[in-house]
Amino acid sequence: MSSAYRGLAAEFDGENGGFGHAPKFPQPMIHEFLLRYHARTNDAQALSMVDFTLERMARGGMYDQLGGGFHRYSTDPFWMVPHFEKMLYDNALLSRLYLHAYLLTGNLQYLRVTQETLDYVLRDMTSPEGGFYSTQDADSQDEEGKYYVWTPGEIEDVLGKEKAEVFRRYFGVTHEGNFEGQSILSIPIDHTDVAQELGIGDDDLSNILEEAKDSLLQRRQGRVSPARDEKVITAWNGLVLRTLAETASVLGRQDYMQAAVSSATFLLANLRDGNGRLLRTYKAGHARLKGYLEDYAFVIDGLLALHEATLDLNWLREASTLADAMIDLFWEEGEQTFYDTGRDHEELIIRPRDVFDNATPCGGSVAADVLLRLAILTGNQDYSRRAVVAIRSLQSLMAQVAQGFGHWLCALDFYLSTPREIAVVGPLDHPATQALLEQVHGRYLPNKVVTGYDPNVSGSEEFPLLDDKYMVDGKPSVFVCQNYSCLIPTTDPEALAEQLAPE
């Protein structure tokens, strides 16, 4: 991991954040690894690279300052002028990255971006059945970006002269514009500096901007919207499912929790055939195409996050069932590797196996990640054996070409750690259970597995991590373990905080 980190540090763009030049793509998995590396080593530079990049991206035009969500990439090195297409997977991965950065740093701007991005997904990219649509086009009325750009006159027409001046100053709107004579909204100057220039307080500026953003978003929604691809892709939905479940756990957002439950219910009900085979796409009431390795792995990942959020063992059971099917379909024991297509796919000249993490993590890296966690949760060491073989086979490449192995590096970090095994026993809706879960979910602790159950609802005999776990004196309780060796169970959130503190 150290070699991979040194290579990334050497390739980092110290002027603008991120990696590479124009066009510049966000690389959330690389930054997830950097957060983990900082947590592991306390290396300040690893965190500063993430901080600098996330701040620049959030202030640039690649981020939709009005409606939330990220466009696909920046056409320049500065995160200013985007290719205006919006991809579901980008917004799932980036909102999760900003959430993790918030947990590690406490930076409220990161939390704002997470929530605005997920709110965009729920508002504009969610089907009535609970699935998530794939993309929004860059164009509307045959012009790229037309839906998103503004002139000073349009803003003044909505806000009035005084508030428009405040808004234009903050979001860098000029008569010359920064995109074909119009302005992409960005944040070129710090909030406090703008407040001082305008002679108003920070809180007053915030209030004006929030009210103005709501008004302008409402006006923008009256424009001709970019076309939307309403195909539901199973793998990408798994990415959103995990992010919604995690964010709901951290923030207590019931709308996110309900959306996560609806998503999982929709996927399991509509994206499986009569034999339980996961399918790839869904549109207009019809699911089709056999799912790939990434479809299985990403949905399992989302279901594990939903189990951690709800303590509902049914989600863990579904994840384990899909994992068994994933191994049967995609793992080749003789070659000790995962393939992207199942053994029941049409026969190809070469069976595909992409090991690189690109715009999304590859199926193999997420498969290894979820199998490591499932091995702990279920006690099935065959899961772990396969994951370890997959990770070890790519270790040298991870060190040499780190930018192509972001999620693999995260899985490697988990494998090399001694994960915290956290078992929560109690009714989910009990205030004492919630207080304990706030401690579990409210800190950056990437190398952990969380499980639990409500003893009033079901037993837990099938899962060894829950064996002999109970409510102490009838109160919701938490067991913090490593390698199945547990500390004294606690019912006290403060005591739990001490048990979860960095070692």
Side-chain angles (χ1 to χ4, degrees):
M1 285 198 300
S2 295
S3 296
Y5 169 67
R6 287 193 297 271
L8 292 170
E11 296 165 350
F12 184 71
D13 180 352
E15 288 189 32
N16 305 295
F19 299 89
H21 304 287
K24 180 166 280 186
F25 289 82
Q27 294 181 282
M29 289 163 284
I30 290 297
H31 290 92
E32 291 279 12
F33 167 67
L34 292 173
L35 290 180
R36 285 172 169 268
Y37 191 82
H38 169 76
R40 173 179 285 273
T41 65
N42 206 32
D43 187 296
Q45 184 185 10
L47 181 58
S48 71
M49 287 193 287
V50 180
D51 255 334
F52 186 60
T53 302
L54 296 196
E55 192 240 352
R56 288 299 179 98
M57 285 200 303
R59 291 175 62 154
M62 203 184 80
Y63 181 68
D64 181 354
Q65 302 292 342
L66 272 191
F70 288 87
H71 300 292
R72 190 175 183 189
Y73 61 84
S74 176
T75 63
D76 55 54
F78 319 113
W79 311 107
M80 174 54 73
V81 178
H83 172 53
F84 286 91
E85 187 178 21
K86 284 183 174 180
M87 310 298 294
L88 182 67
Y89 58 74
D90 282 328
N91 286 290
L93 292 168
L94 285 166
S95 53
R96 190 190 309 167
L97 170 62
Y98 275 85
L99 177 71
H100 294 164
Y102 159 71
L103 287 173
L104 188 57
T105 67
N107 187 329
L108 293 175
Q109 295 306 311
Y110 296 161
L111 185 59
R112 173 183 62 82
V113 171
T114 294
Q115 294 184 92
E116 287 178 354
T117 301
L118 289 177
D119 290 346
Y120 151 72
V121 170
L122 296 188
R123 182 185 67 240
D124 293 344
M125 299 293 283
T126 304
S127 75
E129 303 105 314
F132 302 107
Y133 301 135
S134 300
T135 68
Q136 276 187 315
D137 286 353
D139 303 350
S140 55
Q141 297 179 289
D142 297 322
E143 292 183 31
E144 178 163 356
K146 183 173 182 178
Y147 185 72
Y148 298 100
V149 296
W150 295 86
T151 64
E154 288 174 316
I155 294 170
E156 187 170 325
D157 182 56
V158 176
L159 301 180
K161 187 172 183 178
E162 186 175 329
K163 289 183 179 178
E165 176 59 30
V166 173
F167 186 89
R168 291 199 304 264
R169 183 74 185 97
Y170 186 81
F171 285 106
V173 178
T174 65
H175 289 281
E176 298 78 19
N178 56 24
F179 180 73
E180 300 179 357
Q182 300 183 79
S183 289
I184 302 165
L185 302 183
S186 65
I187 306 175
I189 301 175
D190 287 343
H191 186 283
T192 300
D193 292 340
V194 175
Q196 288 176 350
E197 285 183 17
L198 296 172
I200 59 179
D202 280 357
D203 290 343
D204 291 335
L205 176 58
S206 294
N207 292 335
I208 292 170
L209 292 173
E210 286 306 308
E211 183 180 329
K213 284 171 64 177
D214 289 343
S215 298
L216 289 167
L217 179 60
Q218 187 173 352
R219 172 63 67 90
R220 193 179 81 176
Q221 289 172 330
R223 297 175 176 176
V224 177
S225 299
R228 182 174 61 191
D229 183 349
E230 297 191 348
K231 178 167 68 269
V232 172
I233 296 176
T234 300
W236 300 2
N237 274 244
L239 295 174
V240 181
L241 171 57
R242 175 176 169 181
T243 301
L244 281 169
E246 277 197 38
T247 310
S249 299
V250 172
L251 303 182
R253 288 274 303 255
Q254 289 306 306
D255 54 340
Y256 292 170
M257 187 74 82
Q258 183 54 54
V261 171
S262 295
S263 169
T265 303
F266 166 79
L267 289 171
L268 295 176
N270 294 283
L271 272 300
R272 291 194 289 194
D273 66 17
N275 297 316
R277 178 60 160 91
L278 205 59
L279 302 175
R280 173 68 172 174
T281 66
Y282 176 95
K283 189 173 184 179
H286 299 286
R288 57 191 297 269
L289 305 178
K290 291 175 180 176
Y292 297 96
L293 174 63
E294 68 171 13
D295 296 300
Y296 276 82
F298 293 11
V299 171
I300 294 166
D301 198 24
L303 292 172
L304 290 179
L306 189 56
H307 167 62
E308 293 192 356
T310 62
L311 306 184
D312 185 338
L313 289 173
N314 287 323
W315 302 123
L316 178 54
R317 294 184 184 105
E318 292 283 9
S320 184
T321 297
L322 285 176
D324 291 339
M326 178 178 74
I327 290 168
D328 179 60
L329 287 165
F330 302 98
W331 177 260
E332 285 297 333
E333 188 66 28
E335 299 171 52
Q336 294 284 287
T337 194
F338 280 107
Y339 282 95
D340 292 332
T341 56
R343 65 181 73 257
D344 60 347
H345 268 82
E346 62 180 295
E347 193 168 336
L348 303 171
I349 296 174
I350 298 176
R351 191 176 179 187
R353 176 178 176 250
D354 183 5
V355 298
F356 289 95
D357 297 315
N358 294 303
T360 61
C362 73
S365 66
V366 180
D369 183 14
V370 298
L371 289 177
L372 287 174
R373 287 183 279 144
L374 274 167
I376 296 170
L377 290 164
T378 66
N380 184 345
Q381 293 310 306
D382 273 346
Y383 290 159
S384 180
R385 175 180 64 81
R386 292 179 172 90
V388 171
V389 168
I391 290 170
R392 285 179 173 169
S393 70
L394 295 169
Q395 271 188 272
S396 61
L397 277 174
M398 292 183 215
Q400 296 166 22
V401 198
Q403 284 198 49
F405 292 89
H407 197 78
W408 282 110
L409 286 163
C410 293
L412 176 63
D413 179 59
F414 186 95
Y415 167 59
L416 294 177
S417 72
T418 306
R420 305 289 183 91
E421 303 156 357
I422 302 168
V424 183
V425 186
L428 185 66
D429 59 358
H430 195 293
T433 308
Q434 287 298 315
L436 293 169
L437 286 171
E438 286 175 12
Q439 292 294 334
V440 172
H441 296 303
R443 65 190 65 240
Y444 184 70
L445 195 62
N447 294 325
K448 70 178 185 300
V449 294
V450 179
T451 187
Y453 72 106
D454 179 352
N456 298 323
V457 174
S458 67
S460 59
E461 296 81 7
E462 70 214 86
F463 299 109
L465 192 53
L466 291 173
D467 187 39
D468 199 29
K469 305 299 190 296
Y470 49 87
M471 292 204 299
V472 177
D473 298 328
K475 299 177 183 177
S477 306
V478 177
F479 295 73
V480 178
C481 317
Q482 288 181 295
N483 292 323
Y484 295 94
S485 177
C486 302
L487 301 174
I488 296 172
T490 183
T491 62
D492 177 34
E494 291 187 8
L496 176 59
E498 292 181 8
Q499 292 184 357
L500 294 175
E503 296 174 339

